[in-house]
């Protein structure tokens, strides 16, 4: 396979073409190509005559589809005693406890419990933005916490047991201390 890449110099020289003497990276260079959904490669155009337009430049705010296509999106109710497998489409309670990723429990309030084997999770700290696939990709490890106290509008990114990224936004918390459940807006992306 032949990889084509390049570096572009952005300049405020009143529309004059910018030139660069940078060498073209090899296909094995880090960041030279990225794989999108369906195995298609994303990167600079393979047409050497084309140059990127300002509209084609990388957006400072990710769209949520770069690197992972949405496999399921919608409202999800997670009730106490009914943990959900976020890898299922749509997410469901699995009778095989090893497949479930999250549960809502009620010790001292509404708590999201992360099931054993979950690859990672993190609360999204910026309430002014909603994380995309790339933002949620910062999930690393579960660490020592296995639970997080929930509040309305809270956003949590999760890496499921099968390695998919998911974003859960808390919409409503009801029924404490009995019949505890949370209603979430959920997006699950492909690996």
């Amino acid at each position: 396979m032949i990889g084509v890449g390049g570096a572009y110099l952005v300049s405020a020289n009143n529309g004059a073409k910018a030139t660069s003497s940078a060498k073209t990276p090899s296909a094995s260079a880090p960041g030279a190509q990225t794989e999108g959904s369906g195995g298609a490669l994303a990167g600079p155009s393979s047409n050497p005559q084309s140059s990127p337009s300002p509209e084609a430049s990388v957006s400072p705010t990710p769209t949520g589809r770069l690197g992972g296509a949405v496999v399921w999106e919608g409202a999800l109710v997670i009730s106490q005693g009914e943990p959900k497998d976020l890898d299922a489409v749509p997410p469901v309670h699995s009778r095989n406890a090893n497949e479930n990723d999250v549960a809502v429990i009620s010790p001292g309030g509404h708590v999201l419990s992360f099931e054993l084997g979950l690859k990672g999770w993190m609360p999204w700290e910026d309430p002014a933005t909603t994380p995309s696939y790339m933002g949620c990709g910062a999930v690393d490890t579960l660490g020592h916490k296995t639970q997080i106290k929930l509040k309305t509008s809270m956003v949590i990114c999760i890496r499921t047991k099968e390695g998919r990224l998911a974003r859960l936004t808390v919409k409503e918390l009801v029924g404490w201390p009995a019949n505890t459940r949370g209603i979430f807006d959920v997006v699950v992306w492909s690996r």
Side-chain angles (χ1 to χ4, degrees), residues 2-10 18-34 42-52 56-58:
I2 297 174
V4 177
Y8 299 101
L9 177 64
V10 177
T19 59
S20 172
S21 60
K23 292 189 176 189
T24 302
S26 71
S28 62
Q33 297 175 335
T34 57
S45 169
S46 61
N47 181 351
Q49 298 297 323
S50 69
S51 62
S57 65
V58 175

Side-chain angles (χ1 to χ4, degrees), residues 29-44:
Q33 297 175 335
T34 57
E35 188 171 327
S37 62
L41 294 176

Side-chain angles (χ1 to χ4, degrees), residues 41-118:
L41 294 176
S45 169
S46 61
N47 181 351
Q49 298 297 323
S50 69
S51 62
S53 66
E55 295 83 21
S57 65
V58 175
S59 169
T61 54
T63 64
R65 291 195 174 254
L66 183 60
V70 173
V71 293
W72 191 83
E73 183 173 14
L76 181 65
V77 176
I78 304 176
S79 300
Q80 188 168 351
E82 291 274 329
K84 299 294 184 193
D85 174 7
L86 298 176
D87 292 307
V89 178
V92 294
H93 169 72
S94 175
R95 292 184 189 267
N96 179 350
N98 294 327
E99 294 176 354
N100 292 315
D101 295 297
V102 293
V104 170
I105 58 176
S106 65
H110 292 87
V111 174
L112 189 64
S113 173
F114 305 102
E115 301 295 297
L116 218 49
L118 188 71

Side-chain angles (χ1 to χ4, degrees), residues 114 118-123 139-143 145-148 156-159:
F114 305 102
L118 188 71
K119 302 229 184 264
W121 68 274
M122 69 177 193
V139 169
D140 274 339
T141 61
L142 183 59
K145 290 188 174 184
T146 57
Q147 302 175 352
I148 188 170
I156 303 158
C157 293
I158 293 174
R159 187 168 304 276

